[in-house]
Amino acid sequence: MVARMKRSLANLLVLLVVVGLFGGNWLVLRDLQDIHSRDPQPTATVPAAESFGSGSEVIRIGVVSRFAPNIIFSGYQPVLDYLNTNSEYRFELRLSTSYQDAVDKLEQGEVTASFLGAWIYGHLESRDLMPLAAPRNAAGSSVFHAVLVTRADSPVATVQDLAGLRVALPSPDSWSGNWLQRRGLPDVGLTTADLDSLHHFDHHQTVVWEVLRGHFDAGVVKESVADRFKREGLRQVALSPPIPGAPLVARRDGPPAVLKTLTRLLLALNDDDPRDREILAGWTPEFAFGFRPVSEADYTEAFGTLEGER
Amino acid sequence: MITHTGLRSRILLTVGASTAAIMMFLSWGMLYSWRNSLLTEERATIQAISGAFSVAVIDALIFADQDLYQAEGFLDNYVAMFMAQNPRLTAITVLDQTGRTTARSWDSGEAPWVSGPATRVLADETVRTTVTARTDGRWVMETVYPLRTGHRSWGALILQIEAESIRAQIRRNFVLLALFTSAVTSLLLLLLWFLLGRLLSSLQVLVTAMDSVDFQPTSGPALPARQDEIGILYRHFQRMQERVDQSHREMLRAEHQMLHAERLAAIGRLASGLAHEINNPINGVRNCIYAIRRDPQNAEQTATYLDLMDEGLTNASGVLHKLLGFARKQQAAPGPIDLNEAVRAVERLVKFDLERQQIRLELALTDSLPPVVADRQLMQEVIMNLLLNARDAVESGGLIRVTSRHAAGQVSVAVEDSGDGIDAGILDRVFDPFFTTKKTGEGTGLGLSICLNIVQAAGGTLEVASSPGAGATFTIKLPASPSGIPQEDTT
């Protein structure tokens, strides 16, 4: 009797094990294959205005086309985000197809202010535009340099070595696109005729890539761009004399409240202040030390110096 | 189906169930962990693809937003080419900053999120990836990738890849792991079955050896020499067997000595009767010598008396011879014996004593009693003990009756006395060693215990029946020897 009960229990146990094995595995396989996400689907609709800023009045800010559009946005949008966050305006970037187009848009009132190049601003004949601020460098001033660069393995060591070589330059409306032929070469007794070739590109990065690819023996770019590509094998050969930084320019008859707000906010940033430093840390290296006030005279003086040597 | 619950079955069932359960839970844990890793990897992949794809899409959206020149249908073409290069992609949708679909794949069938002009755009900057089953039953993994530059939103990119291959991979791994688990478990059980078989066969050897032990020296098969735990068990068993043998030998020796002592005790109990039996002829001889000395010339008388002296001395010598024969230590030598003859031999020893005490001894012996296989000397000793006990139980003028019978293949000898009988309270203790109702010094208490051992050793039984005031009957029953069984009678 006891033995029969034991056998029955054993058989029941075997049955339970078998059922458990098959049933458990079937349930687990079913659950394993259910890869449905447990998180709710993202269904929120973002109001269009939110992506532009919190304010209601749209203020368009122009930028010269010294970089490709996406690079311009990644560099300048954080500055505009800062302005949007701290003002009642909604600042938007407005790109231009060329340096001159940026000036035209400003003069025509299509944009309220514009980040122009030092060269194009200094070259303007119209006196209706005024500089509001320019990027500050690490030393606290607003001067920068154009830099003659080559590949790290290039034999070029001085400007004189450029004789017979191919040279790439950025826009002819930029300081970097003019310094070499107007000042750099003459200073060592060369002219553009001594070069193999001289070619202008739209953007500073394009100049760097062309040099690094070996399509050109040397090039001239902004100091900030030259610094950024040091690790990629770009060697700096020579520096231009100090150049005033690329200014944020506005029409003299622009909306005073907007211009005042714009100037106040940009000049308020102090890289010695930890909170401001936190903001500046997310910006492109060109604006990493904030802005400082500049005057029209800074540019006419520098432009006159360069032109006087022409 | 389990038809018996042996040790092997129980161990196999327990270990098999435990192993299967453990392996199963481990496998499940591994499968869930592996599935999560796979999904994480797939999510990272689709997010990386989305990130790479978003760079060009943002560029295109910037160009469109800034009214800069770009080729007609650039984004649609880009989406189509990207789809063509990535077979796992099932759909791509690009939403602009207002939530409007600005580009999408057209050969992907269902694209549920483009059902209206303002559809899903992320409220925050988080890249979200979800897995869902579409209405057509196909599983897809979908990523909503916000297109942003700083705080500026350009819209969102929605990429969808098929997720059926993920499920197929999960199924495949499940089956592989299940097969592996089953194989490992089966192998383990097979190995266990084999090892248990070896262990149990080793134990079976020991069981056989234990069964064959019959308390005879060097009995049983020799166990094989082993160096493992079973070997230790074997060695301990053999040592135990040696100790048992030793104890058995000592017990036999003690039993032999007790037997001899009891025999001497029986002789002591006979001594007074025997002394009288010897004294009578000696006195007769002394009378004859006295008569011959008084009339030495009477040759006729001398001759007559010499014959009487010879007869008397022969009788005394016969008594002593019988006594010596009874007392002599002899090796047990079982053989066919006639119990009637054994009874008569004992009767000759005790009759003097019984006659002296005026106790009547009646023999009712069945003729042609078949022989039994036993040691003659020992059987006589048993009968002697029973007769002496009966003598002690009856008073002068009492009766002792010895009856032999043959029935149902058994030969029995019953010694019945007319004494007071044995109390019912001690009847079941009379065969216990050292149990006696006699006074100190009159009995060892071993007689009946030894008788019982002797009869049992010969394959028989010794029974007692008694009721107070009606005497007691001790019955020896022994199997008749097959070689000499005559017709049964019930005399």
Side-chain angles (χ1 to χ4, degrees), chain B residues 322-433:
Chain B
K322 289 170 192 169
L323 190 62
L324 285 174
F326 183 75
R328 191 180 297 126
K329 279 187 181 177
Q330 290 182 344
Q331 287 296 107
I337 61 168
D338 183 352
L339 282 181
N340 284 344
E341 281 182 14
V343 170
R344 290 191 186 100
V346 174
E347 184 249 346
R348 284 195 289 273
L349 275 173
V350 301
K351 69 176 182 181
F352 311 110
D353 187 47
L354 294 178
E355 286 170 0
R356 189 176 57 84
Q357 296 187 42
Q358 297 179 335
I359 295 171
R360 195 150 44 93
L361 175 62
E362 289 181 9
L363 297 183
L365 304 180
T366 301
D367 293 335
S368 306
L369 200 65
V372 296
V373 177
D375 179 83
R376 179 185 303 278
Q377 184 74 21
L378 292 178
M379 276 302 139
Q380 286 180 3
E381 187 176 331
V382 171
I383 295 165
M384 170 71 80
N385 258 290
L386 296 180
L387 281 175
L388 290 178
N389 283 347
R391 180 203 69 183
D392 295 341
V394 299
E395 294 175 355
S396 180
L399 172 67
I400 296 174
R401 181 183 289 117
V402 179
T403 311
S404 67
R405 288 174 185 272
H406 170 223
Q410 283 197 318
V411 177
S412 63
V413 172
V415 179
E416 182 184 357
D417 65 66
S418 60
D420 294 333
I422 304 170
D423 287 342
I426 61 170
L427 196 60
D428 57 347
R429 296 171 56 198
V430 296
F431 294 112
D432 291 351

Side-chain angles (χ1 to χ4, degrees), chain B residues 240-314:
Chain B
M240 185 196 72
Q241 194 177 9
E242 285 165 9
R243 287 196 298 275
V244 168
D245 289 345
Q246 177 67 23
S247 299
H248 187 241
R249 281 193 295 273
E250 288 173 1
M251 188 190 75
L252 286 179
R253 193 160 48 243
E255 190 179 75
H256 194 65
Q257 286 170 351
M258 279 196 308
L259 195 66
H260 185 64
E262 182 62 20
R263 189 178 297 135
L264 293 177
I267 291 168
R269 292 162 72 188
L270 279 171
S272 58
L274 291 174
H276 177 73
E277 185 65 13
I278 293 170
N279 266 339
N280 283 342
I282 289 175
N283 285 334
V285 170
R286 190 177 289 158
N287 288 333
C288 289
I289 292 172
Y290 174 76
I292 291 170
R293 278 182 179 162
R294 202 172 56 179
D295 188 10
Q297 303 307 316
N298 189 345
E300 185 181 353
Q301 177 187 272
T302 300
T304 302
Y305 280 3
L306 282 175
D307 288 341
L308 285 173
M309 288 169 65
D310 183 54
E311 183 183 355
L313 289 174
T314 301

Side-chain angles (χ1 to χ4, degrees), chain B residues 92-95 99-106 109-120 158:
Chain B
I92 296 177
T93 299
V94 180
L95 305 180
R100 187 174 56 89
T101 300
T102 188
R104 57 161 290 191
S105 52
W106 294 101
E110 185 183 11
W113 60 86
V114 290
S115 55
T119 54
R120 299 172 313 188
I158 303 173

Side-chain angles (χ1 to χ4, degrees), chain B residues 405-468:
Chain B
R405 288 174 185 272
H406 170 223
Q410 283 197 318
V411 177
S412 63
V413 172
V415 179
E416 182 184 357
D417 65 66
S418 60
D420 294 333
I422 304 170
D423 287 342
I426 61 170
L427 196 60
D428 57 347
R429 296 171 56 198
V430 296
F431 294 112
D432 291 351
F434 304 108
F435 178 81
T436 180
T437 58
K438 296 171 183 168
K439 292 176 184 173
T440 307
E442 292 184 359
T444 60
L446 289 170
L448 284 176
S449 171
I450 290 172
C451 289
L452 180 66
N453 286 342
I454 292 170
V455 175
Q456 285 180 337
T461 60
L462 178 57
E463 297 168 358
V464 59
S466 175
S467 52

Side-chain angles (χ1 to χ4, degrees), chain A residues 31 33 37 44 46 52 81 95, chain B residues 66 97 121-122 131 151 171:
Chain A
D31 189 53
Q33 288 191 102
S37 299
V46 179
F52 290 88
D81 291 339
L95 302 189
Chain B
Q66 299 289 321
Q97 54 195 315
V121 179
L122 276 187
V131 183
H151 292 170
R171 275 196 301 276

